Amino acid sequence: MRDYAETIGFLGQWGRFQQIVFFSLVATIMPNGFGAFTLVFLTDTPSHHCLVSGINLTEDWRKSVIPIKEVDGKQELSRCSRYRLDVVRNLSAQGYIPGRDVNLTDLEEEGCVDGWSYSKDIYESTIVSEFDLVCSNQWKQPFTSTVFFVGGLLGSFLSGQLSDRYGRKPVLFAALALQTVFTFAQVFSGSWIMFLIILFINGLGQMSNFVAALVLARFMPESPRWLLSRGRVEEAEAIIRTAAKWNKVQAPRIICEDCGTEKMQTHSKEHYNVFDLLRQSTMRATTLILCFVLFTMIVGYYSLSFNTAQLHENPYISCFISAVVEIPAYISSWMALLYLPRRLSVILTLVFGAVPLYLIQLVPDDLSNLALALEMLGKYSITTGSSLMFAYTAELYPTVLRNTATGISNTVSRIGSCIAPLLLSLGMYYKYLPYIILGSLAVVAAFAALFLPESFKKPLPETIEQMQRRERVKCPCLTRNMTPVPVVPMDSSL
């Protein structure tokens, strides 16, 4: 009995059909990058101080009404307070000169009761300046990004299960429609709450789009493998024959008669869900480890990406540097997928990502370029590993659970993207704390990845039984008292 990969081998690996499908899917997920990383600019906080307008003050008092505070060793205008305006008005009217006749440190301060004045040197406006997300409302700024990623988390969870049940194609196009409509709707947000709601739905659509496109890759308009798993043999054959015409190869007269469709149809009558990923010990261990590794990769990727706005005085230059680093990272990921074992690649990227993050705290303040280089090296490694993990995850699970597993692992990993903005805010208490946390997570994840099965140069599993046969490194302390899991052969005639 032939498996699916052997059955469609006559199509070749990179014909016209695969090329059209690949570049079509690339086009569908390209907007996802804009949707996520425009938040770097949308949520950035311009320089600001308390608004002082509509009163008569001398020039000296107008320049002195905002207190001077020391922030990170630098003197700057206070962002959240001013001297009491009624007192300043009286002193100005009586002709007193600040700093000579009046000791400014003795004056009482008050909050920005009249609002804020925002610098427009870099941005005309952001949601921070539009909705005053500063001072007592400063928590709303990282929370805004978190809401977007919570939408992505829910999208990962729902799209995986919906794609396995209803097909990859319907979920993909539904997500594209959702994403398009609500991206435009953000422009018309009249309040912070309204913006949050629209942003949440946009995040849901973007991640649904990504997960569906990931598993649909090289199989479009619908995955023949998924159709076969559902017993829809005629539809699968029709797509394969179309692919053969596009690739200018001759398809055999009978394609799917002996490709295990009876076995796959038996599985199609069963309804699989997220709990099937946890019932069997081998699959449960794989799922939990993958979730943790992906969580580490994603929290590291988004933390380092969103921190780029602080690396240079001009946030556009910062984001350009950060984006350029991703180009060699994706090339490295592609080369690793071609030539290196998956497990080894993941471990190496985690280790090489952790080392520079630990070293950053040892760099003197006057060597800021070295600190920037180390952070970009860390991002390079984490980005390479993140790209690897998406392919690795899809390779480990059988067809009937592939989208569910991909969706669930991405759902858990997206918790990392949700907490990334909050993790960065810990830098207010200790500058290097976010780097220490990210480096420690990477080291632990590298150790955990040792116990993942290897999928390099192995066919995609069609059934749960095939997945259980994958070899893995076993920890003696965990397997000493475990009984072997019985394996049911795919074909009793073998």
Side-chain angles (χ1 to χ4, degrees):
M1 180 182 295
R2 296 187 299 168
D3 62 16
Y4 177 77
E6 185 181 354
T7 299
I8 65 168
F10 67 90
L11 291 176
Q13 294 295 318
W14 190 238
R16 181 182 299 175
F17 177 76
Q18 291 94 331
Q19 293 169 9
I20 292 175
V21 170
F22 173 77
F23 289 109
S24 297
L25 291 172
V26 167
T28 67
I29 62 175
M30 280 184 65
N32 288 3
F34 293 104
F37 292 107
T38 51
L39 290 174
V40 173
F41 307 106
L42 278 175
T43 63
D44 202 7
T45 304
S47 298
H48 57 277
H49 57 78
C50 292
L51 181 64
V52 179
S53 62
I55 61 171
N56 293 322
L57 295 176
T58 64
E59 187 64 23
D60 288 336
W61 277 109
R62 188 170 292 277
K63 292 179 180 179
S64 303
V65 70
I66 305 297
I68 302 295
K69 305 288 184 180
E70 184 173 323
V71 179
D72 294 331
K74 299 179 181 179
Q75 300 288 326
E76 63 178 42
L77 295 177
S78 173
R79 298 185 173 190
C80 300
S81 65
R82 68 185 184 187
Y83 295 119
R84 281 190 54 178
L85 211 54
D86 56 344
V87 174
V88 170
R89 186 189 296 112
N90 291 333
L91 293 172
S92 176
Q94 295 176 37
Y96 290 106
I97 298 177
R100 191 190 70 179
D101 303 323
V102 178
N103 188 354
L104 293 176
T105 58
D106 294 335
L107 295 181
E108 184 180 353
E109 297 182 13
E110 64 181 0
C112 300
V113 294
D114 297 322
W116 289 263
S117 175
Y118 296 94
S119 170
K120 294 188 177 182
D121 293 342
I122 298 176
Y123 306 107
E124 186 64 27
S125 67
T126 69
I127 64 166
V128 174
S129 60
E130 286 289 319
F131 306 125
D132 289 332
L133 308 184
V134 293
C135 299
S136 61
N137 287 325
Q138 187 175 1
W139 64 271
K140 295 181 179 179
Q141 186 260 352
F143 183 74
T144 300
S145 300
T146 295
V147 166
F148 174 82
F149 291 117
V150 169
L153 186 152
L154 183 61
S156 295
F157 178 78
L158 294 178
S159 63
Q161 299 188 66
L162 291 175
S163 295
D164 276 339
R165 183 173 291 269
Y166 300 109
R168 281 63 163 154
K169 186 181 176 183
V171 173
L172 176 61
F173 284 98
L176 286 172
L178 199 68
Q179 183 178 344
T180 301
V181 170
F182 284 91
T183 297
F184 280 111
Q186 285 180 197
V187 179
F188 304 100
S189 301
S191 67
W192 180 65
I193 295 297
M194 180 180 178
F195 184 85
L196 280 190
I197 295 172
I198 295 174
L199 190 67
F200 173 83
I201 300 174
N202 197 353
L204 188 152
Q206 289 208 342
M207 192 45 57
S208 299
N209 172 2
F210 182 81
V211 173
L214 174 67
V215 181
L216 191 61
R218 292 188 301 282
F219 298 103
M220 196 170 165
E222 184 53 271
S223 166
R225 187 189 297 270
W226 178 83
L227 291 171
L228 287 174
S229 73
R230 294 292 172 180
R232 295 158 63 177
V233 180
E234 293 181 0
E235 295 176 63
E237 283 200 357
I239 294 175
I240 294 173
R241 293 188 186 281
T242 299
K245 291 180 181 179
W246 288 6
N247 288 0
K248 297 181 180 180
V249 296
Q250 182 64 41
R253 187 174 62 86
I254 299 176
I255 298 177
C256 296
E257 183 180 51
D258 60 344
C259 62
T261 55
E262 291 184 6
K263 189 71 163 179
M264 298 177 80
Q265 289 179 35
T266 300
H267 284 277
S268 71
K269 296 177 182 178
E270 304 178 27
H271 294 289
Y272 294 94
N273 54 48
V274 61
F275 298 106
D276 291 290
L277 299 173
L278 303 174
R279 286 196 177 101
Q280 196 273 334
S281 60
T282 301
M283 189 177 295
R284 180 169 59 248
T286 298
T287 301
L288 293 177
I289 294 173
L290 279 174
C291 286
F292 177 65
V293 173
L294 265 170
F295 168 86
T296 300
M297 295 282 196
I298 295 301
V299 72
Y301 175 77
Y302 281 103
S303 294
L304 296 175
S305 296
F306 274 75
N307 191 49
T308 53
Q310 314 303 321
L311 300 179
H312 193 276
E313 292 182 358
N314 189 325
Y316 299 105
I317 294 178
S318 297
C319 287
F320 175 77
I321 295 172
S322 180
V324 167
V325 167
E326 296 198 17
I327 297 175
Y330 291 130
I331 294 175
S332 300
S333 175
W334 175 44
M335 299 301 291
L337 287 171
L338 289 176
Y339 301 111
L340 295 178
R342 306 290 188 253
R343 185 168 52 211
L344 175 64
S345 300
V346 170
I347 293 172
L348 289 178
T349 56
L350 286 166
V351 171
F352 286 125
V355 171
L357 295 180
Y358 280 130
L359 293 177
I360 285 177
Q361 57 189 313
L362 304 179
V363 178
D365 292 337
D366 58 339
L367 295 179
S368 58
N369 288 336
L370 177 57
L372 173 61
L374 288 173
E375 182 161 345
M376 290 300 99
L377 180 60
K379 185 185 177 184
Y380 161 80
S381 297
I382 295 297
T383 302
T384 302
S386 300
S387 304
L388 286 168
M389 285 302 298
F390 290 120
Y392 191 16
T393 301
E395 290 174 352
L396 290 179
Y397 290 91
T399 303
V400 292
L401 278 171
R402 187 164 295 124
N403 242 66
T404 298
T406 304
I408 292 300
S409 58
N410 274 281
T411 298
V412 175
S413 71
R414 292 299 154 178
I415 297 175
S417 62
C418 294
I419 69 172
L422 305 177
L423 176 64
L424 290 177
S425 66
L426 294 178
M428 296 168 46
Y429 305 101
Y430 178 58
K431 182 179 179 180
Y432 300 108
L433 184 56
Y435 299 112
I436 295 173
I437 293 174
L438 292 175
S440 300
L441 282 173
V443 171
V444 176
F447 176 76
L450 282 170
F451 306 103
L452 287 172
E454 183 55 71
S455 62
F456 183 55
K457 292 186 177 180
K458 296 182 180 179
L460 294 178
E462 302 291 347
T463 64
I464 294 176
E465 289 78 14
Q466 285 182 326
M467 179 182 177
Q468 293 173 0
R469 296 177 182 179
R470 290 281 173 87
E471 295 181 0
R472 66 182 70 228
V473 177
K474 295 183 179 180
C475 180
C477 61
L478 296 178
T479 59
R480 187 178 302 163
N481 298 323
M482 292 178 59
T483 57
V485 178
V487 177
V488 180
M490 288 187 61
D491 190 348
S492 58
S493 62
L494 294 178

